[in-house]
């Protein structure tokens, strides 16, 4: 038996509906692979913020530190500004635990129609590697002359050699395990300091990975190519802002935001990593029990992989593929009428 301690943060809205589904799947595969999960659930959320004035307690990170991994649903709810929920929980965890890799796999599954006519199952299979702790989402800057005609705002983007090199090295190493091709997202024609620096470091790190071919695209052209020819990509590496936008675009290309997973990784394993579906709390459908659980379930599979159980992870993603090809059970976002529970049951039967 391998024991793992997992911190669950269901969060808000459909986060509280999809995390129990992911947990059922984890428990089902765990039994068969000699894994035992011990969970602790934390009620950190906008609801907690409304009652106690903070998304999480002051010692939140210290309490999470002892876990092997964190599985998070989604945070954010009407009434609490999004920057409060994000900077009160998600970003402190990502930064405090040096989760500098945000990994977002994109696959088109048979049985999930892509909005793109040319995007075919089996052909579109790539990963966006997003830098997750620096870049454009910095805390350096400020506002001046609030309320006056001369009011101004300044926000600095911060790119460090250490921070860029480590995300590039992660992405090149991943390309070595996958299709041996890397695409770097840049904008060095318009952003004249940070992006040329990024490009120089890409060329430097590429020389250390001679068996990976690589190219770079300006982010605007890259967005168009992701839509026009998604099958040509293998690993796409991008800064924090570019990676954020590209991975949501890519999730839409794959057919539904409800399926897309994400991992926030601390590759050195000095701290726990965090796994979460890409989607948010979906207040428009929350409480109805119809959320698509696949994004959370795929995130749990990424967690299994990270914890050293790749066979168990593949069993979960195979069951996802099977439920979509072998059954017509679907939640409403995929054109069906099944509830979260029914969809999860159908998937469990195929494990
Ligand atoms: P959202 O992802 O919550 O919803 C966008 C649309 O997709 C909605 O129509 C929703 O019903 C649908 N959708 C999303 N996930 C689904 C699922 N699993 N099954 C079926 N349909 C699904 O994004 P939105 O509306 O922009 O944000 C809502 C709240 O979530 C905001 O407060 C936002 O800040 C927060 N948020 C949190 C994230 C996180 O915790 N990582 C990520 C994105 C948004
Ligand atoms: Mg996003």
């Amino acid at each position: 038996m391998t024991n793992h301690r997992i911190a669950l943060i269901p969060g808000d809205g459909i986060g509280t509906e999809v995390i129990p589904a992911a947990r059922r799947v984890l428990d089902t595969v765990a039994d068969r692979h000699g894994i035992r999960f011990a969970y602790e659930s934390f009620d950190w959320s906008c609801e907690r913020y409304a009652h106690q004035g903070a998304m999480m307690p002051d010692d939140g990170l210290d309490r999470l530190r002892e876990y092997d991994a964190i599985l998070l649903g989604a945070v954010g709810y009407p009434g609490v500004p999004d920057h409060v929920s994000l900077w009160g929980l998600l970003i402190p965890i990502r930064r405090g635990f040096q989760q500098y890799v945000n990994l977002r796999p994109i696959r088109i599954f048979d049985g999930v129609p892509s909005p793109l006519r040319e995007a075919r199952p089996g052909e579109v299979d790539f990963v966006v590697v997003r830098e997750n702790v620096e870049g454009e989402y910095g805390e350096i800057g400020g506002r001046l002359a609030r309320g006056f005609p001369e009011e101004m705002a300044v926000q600095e983007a911060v790119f460090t050699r250490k921070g860029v090199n480590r995300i590039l090295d992660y992405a090149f190493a991943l390309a070595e395990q996958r299709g041996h091709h890397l695409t770097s997202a840049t904008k060095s024609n318009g952003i004249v300091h940070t992006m040329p620096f990024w490009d120089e470091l890409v060329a430097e790190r590429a020389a250390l990975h001679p068996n990976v071919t690589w190219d770079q695209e300006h982010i605007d052209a890259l967005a168009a190519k992701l839509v026009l020819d998604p099958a040509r990509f293998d690993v796409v590496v991008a800064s924090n802002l570019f990676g954020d936008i590209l991975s949501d675009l890519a999730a839409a290309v794959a057919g539904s935001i409800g399926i897309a997973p994400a991992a926030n990784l601390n590759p050195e394993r000095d701290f726990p990593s965090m796994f979460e579906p890409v989607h948010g709390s979906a207040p428009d459908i929350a409480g109805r029990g119809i959320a698509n659980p696949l994004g959370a379930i795929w995130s749990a599979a990424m967690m299994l992989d990270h914890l050293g159980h790749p066979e168990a992870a593949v069993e979960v993603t195979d069951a996802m593929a099977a439920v979509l090809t072998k059954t017509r059970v679907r939640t409403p976002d995929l054109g069906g009428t099944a509830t979260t529970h029914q969809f999860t049951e159908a998937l469990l039967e195929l494990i």
Side-chain angles (χ1 to χ4, degrees), residues 14 16-25 28 287-294 297 323 329-333 337-349:
I14 64 167
T16 63
E17 301 169 31
V18 297
I19 290 301
R23 186 177 160 173
R24 291 208 51 208
V25 172
T28 304
R288 293 166 56 194
I290 57 165
N292 185 341
L294 292 185
I297 290 169
V323 79
V329 186
R330 304 268 187 287
T331 42
D333 59 303
T337 55
T339 62
T340 308
H341 181 75
Q342 288 163 340
F343 200 25
T344 308
E345 286 301 315
L347 183 144
L348 286 171
E349 272 174 34

Side-chain angles (χ1 to χ4, degrees), residues 30-62:
D31 276 349
R32 303 148 51 92
H33 289 271
I35 311 164
R36 188 179 298 136
F37 288 113
Y39 306 96
E40 189 166 346
S41 200
F42 296 85
D43 69 350
W44 305 347
S45 58
C46 289
E47 202 177 320
R48 185 184 189 280
Y49 180 85
H51 292 127
Q52 302 182 46
M55 296 291 294
M56 65 175 172
D58 287 343
D59 65 348
L61 288 193
D62 287 330

